[in-house]
Amino acid sequence: MAQIFKPSANSITQVGLLSVAIGVPTLWLGIAGLSRSPANTKVQVPKNQPVPFSHQHHTWELGIDCRYCHTSVEKSSYAGLPATETCMSCHSQIWTNSPLLEPIRQSYETGMPIQWNLVNKVPDFVHFNHSIHVDRGINCNTCHGAVNQMHITYKGNSFQMAWCLQCHRAPERYLYKDDSASGKGLTPRQQVFNVYWKLQEFGPANLNDQEKDLVRGDYNGAQPWEQDKIAAGKKLVSEYGVKVQQLADCSVCHY
Amino acid sequence: MSRFNSTEIAMALQAKTNHRRIQALGLVAVAISLAGCHTDMWRQPKTQPLDASEFYVDGQVSRPLVPGTIARDHLREDEPYFTGAANAKWVDTIPHTVDKEFLKRGQERFNIYCTPCHGRLGDGKGMIATRGYQLRRPVASYHNDRLRNMPVGYFYDVITNGYGAMYSYASRVEPEDRWAIVAYIRALQLSQHANPSDADGKALASAELTPSPTSALRDERVVTR
């Protein structure tokens, strides 16, 4: 009877097994990597807008509070984008001839809203709520990156489920309180906005550790070895009454 | 004539159709697995605030209130509270208890909505006013006799309806917050024009506006870059 397997079958099997052993994890890692890459998540990719609105200019250099424009951020689930009238409250007076602002003036005259291209969006089956996060003292930059440095707005984080859960499973890593004189007596909500004021007033050098990271846009919470910060965070978790046990339940975000 | 005999041609055709069948099967398999990847839960046919609309003329899904609509609990029959005027005269007293809490709220709201132009002291030297050298109309300072003697209702009206070059802030500042801002403007006027014999002044001073980071006491703006 003729041999079914030729000697070369040995090496074919070896190569085959090896390529499965290497190929499957590579493919898996590749897909995982791709789905987390900026190409997919659009993190740090600026998006074209009808008007080149600069947060760096308006919030850092001019020191305008986020709430001047994103008025509903502390009391509703949506932060909202400013009405044309809000831009016009200043730009009817200053930079009135700027060609960049022509769409704003057009919109004000015709009543047709400016169509901003939304940068941050979770799928419709996810329910996000701004007011609760702001009320627990979570700074805008924790999620949105260094807004105060953006010339053209981009996405600061992936907003994938794993990213939300990182905090929802251990909020004590992210909560902090400003203990300096300028943070005294502030509610968590006020503290969120105080950071931008401090940055503008005193410069980046006079911020505490967390705030420095925040305004740079790379705040990743306390690391496991920073036990003192985690302990302080734990205290805040109980002080604010954060329901940690339920915070990672599916029904918190999907309902 | 031909270099192939008919059997050969038939076999070749058979092989080709087999090939096609396999290709078609492959396509069906891909189609079936792709059918699992639908996105109708990602973008559901519902509207959310700020969404664009192709249906309405103004292009937005959020509809303005039909004129005359009154939401439950929003009947504004308290004229002095919601207009700042009673019997065609500005009201003289703030229709809300003025305590420390209220003044703090006023300070916070003032710092958000008014300081860019009016400055933290209300002296008209806000960031915009000092940078926008080409302002068409100068920003008003609150510290003159005319405004010091204006009834509080007038300030409420300026926030609600705007004044001259200043736009209305009614869509962004709620009535209660408007009164809080008015109370805080009064406190600023007193602090910039201290007069110990002023009975009103004592009342406000006793409210003890402790200097908070967003204190009215600091207006030095240094931007280091």
Side-chain angles (χ1 to χ4, degrees):
Chain A
M1 199 177 102
Q3 273 194 333
I4 302 177
F5 296 109
K6 298 201 179 94
S8 66
N10 272 344
S11 34
I12 290 177
T13 323
Q14 276 165 357
V15 169
L17 281 176
L18 202 69
S19 54
V20 167
I22 296 175
V24 169
T26 312
L27 193 72
W28 187 71
L29 283 176
I31 291 174
L34 266 184
S35 81
R36 284 164 177 73
S37 80
N40 180 41
T41 61
K42 303 284 184 290
V43 170
Q44 308 238 315
V45 181
K47 210 169 196 179
N48 256 348
Q49 299 290 354
V51 179
F53 174 81
S54 160
H55 276 95
Q56 198 228 25
H57 192 95
H58 288 85
T59 63
W60 183 5
E61 290 169 19
L62 299 173
I64 309 173
D65 195 289
C66 310
R67 291 165 289 183
Y68 190 93
C69 294
H70 304 294
T71 308
S72 58
V73 74
E74 358 166 75
K75 40 181 197 249
S76 89
S77 54
Y78 290 90
L81 294 179
T84 304
E85 190 192 323
T86 304
C87 309
M88 283 301 275
S89 66
C90 286
H91 287 295
S92 64
Q93 285 243 49
I94 34 179
W95 250 242
T96 47
N97 299 321
S98 166
L100 297 180
L101 286 162
E102 188 52 37
I104 300 283
R105 292 189 291 269
Q106 281 275 329
S107 158
Y108 191 66
E109 263 162 38
T110 60
M112 288 298 282
I114 299 270
Q115 285 214 8
W116 301 105
N117 294 316
L118 212 54
V119 181
N120 303 286
K121 187 102 190 73
V122 287
D124 285 354
F125 53 76
V126 180
H127 293 266
F128 178 75
N129 189 326
H130 272 98
S131 63
I132 182 119
H133 291 96
V134 173
D135 213 50
R136 297 291 180 268
I138 298 169
N139 189 279
C140 318
N141 288 24
T142 312
C143 301
H144 289 300
V147 177
N148 49 288
Q149 289 180 9
M150 295 180 190
H151 282 294
I152 295 291
T153 317
Y154 53 80
K155 202 170 164 187
N157 279 298
S158 71
F159 291 168
Q160 280 169 334
M161 183 162 133
W163 175 83
C164 304
L165 288 179
Q166 206 172 286
C167 175
H168 272 225
R169 288 202 179 118
E172 67 273 8
R173 283 182 50 212
Y174 292 86
L175 298 183
Y176 81 95
K177 202 173 190 167
D178 180 7
D179 292 325
S180 72
S182 46
K184 233 178 91 201
L186 294 187
T187 62
R189 181 174 56 75
Q190 290 167 327
Q191 194 186 281
V192 166
F193 301 97
N194 200 43
V195 174
Y196 303 110
W197 176 81
K198 269 169 82 179
L199 171 69
Q200 208 226 355
E201 201 81 345
F202 305 129
N206 293 302
L207 301 174
N208 67 25
D209 287 356
Q210 287 108 330
E211 289 168 345
K212 271 184 194 149
D213 286 349
L214 272 175
V215 301
R216 260 191 269 118
D218 44 33
Y219 180 61
N220 292 320
Q223 299 307 316
W225 56 89
E226 296 174 307
Q227 283 300 328
D228 50 332
K229 284 187 184 156
I230 292 178
K234 281 218 170 92
K235 242 176 76 191
L236 291 178
V237 164
S238 60
E239 193 181 308
Y240 299 165
V242 176
K243 302 177 220 74
V244 193
Q245 302 83 356
Q246 300 153 27
L247 206 50
D249 288 359
C250 315
S251 59
V252 166
C253 306
H254 305 292
Y255 52 85
Chain B
M1 210 180 95
S2 162
R3 290 201 289 117
F4 303 104
N5 67 33
S6 58
T7 343
E8 270 171 338
I9 293 176
M11 268 167 71
L13 282 178
Q14 182 66 39
K16 212 166 179 190
T17 33
N18 269 347
H19 206 72
R20 284 253 172 83
R21 278 211 189 111
I22 291 168
Q23 270 183 346
L25 268 178
L27 275 180
V28 168
V30 168
I32 287 175
S33 42
L34 276 184
C37 307
H38 49 108
T39 54
D40 53 355
M41 290 301 274
W42 259 258
R43 295 288 168 257
Q44 298 162 13
K46 65 180 179 187
T47 59
Q48 290 177 330
L50 301 180
D51 275 356
S53 158
E54 282 167 11
F55 184 74
Y56 295 111
V57 186
D58 63 0
Q60 29 188 355
V61 294
S62 308
R63 308 313 306 148
L65 288 182
V66 175
T69 314
I70 296 164
R72 185 180 268 202
D73 289 340
H74 281 248
L75 181 59
R76 298 186 163 180
E77 56 187 355
D78 186 349
E79 197 190 334
Y81 192 86
F82 291 109
T83 63
N87 308 321
K89 276 176 73 185
W90 303 125
V91 294
D92 269 329
T93 47
I94 294 173
H96 193 283
T97 39
V98 179
D99 51 14
K100 190 173 156 185
E101 241 0 71
F102 195 58
L103 278 171
K104 285 222 152 175
R105 176 78 182 169
Q107 183 185 40
E108 186 188 89
R109 295 294 120 177
F110 181 86
N111 284 341
I112 299 170
Y113 296 107
C114 317
T115 43
C117 297
H118 288 281
R120 284 180 192 260
L121 292 174
D123 54 7
K125 297 202 185 102
M127 185 58 124
I128 306 302
T130 48
R131 270 182 87 117
Y133 12 84
Q134 26 162 343
L135 272 189
R136 291 190 174 162
R137 298 261 308 191
V139 179
S141 161
Y142 303 145
H143 310 300
N144 56 45
D145 280 334
R146 181 175 67 86
L147 284 181
R148 267 193 291 270
N149 293 324
M150 270 294 179
V152 285
Y154 176 70
F155 293 93
Y156 182 89
D157 182 66
V158 171
I159 304 176
T160 313
N161 298 315
Y163 169 82
M166 179 181 139
Y167 278 45
S168 157
Y169 282 77
S171 63
R172 281 178 281 158
V173 188
E174 281 164 22
E176 188 173 332
D177 287 340
R178 288 178 222 164
W179 284 116
I181 290 177
V182 173
Y184 183 65
I185 290 180
R186 269 284 184 262
L188 280 178
Q189 287 180 328
L190 289 163
S191 76
Q192 297 298 299
H193 190 71
N195 186 351
S197 67
D198 196 334
D200 222 13
K202 256 189 235 149
L204 281 169
S206 67
E208 260 184 86
L209 268 184
T210 43
S212 78
T214 42
S215 156
L217 301 172
R218 256 175 290 170
D219 197 38
E220 293 296 316
R221 283 171 168 265
V222 200
V223 185
T224 38
R225 241 167 290 121

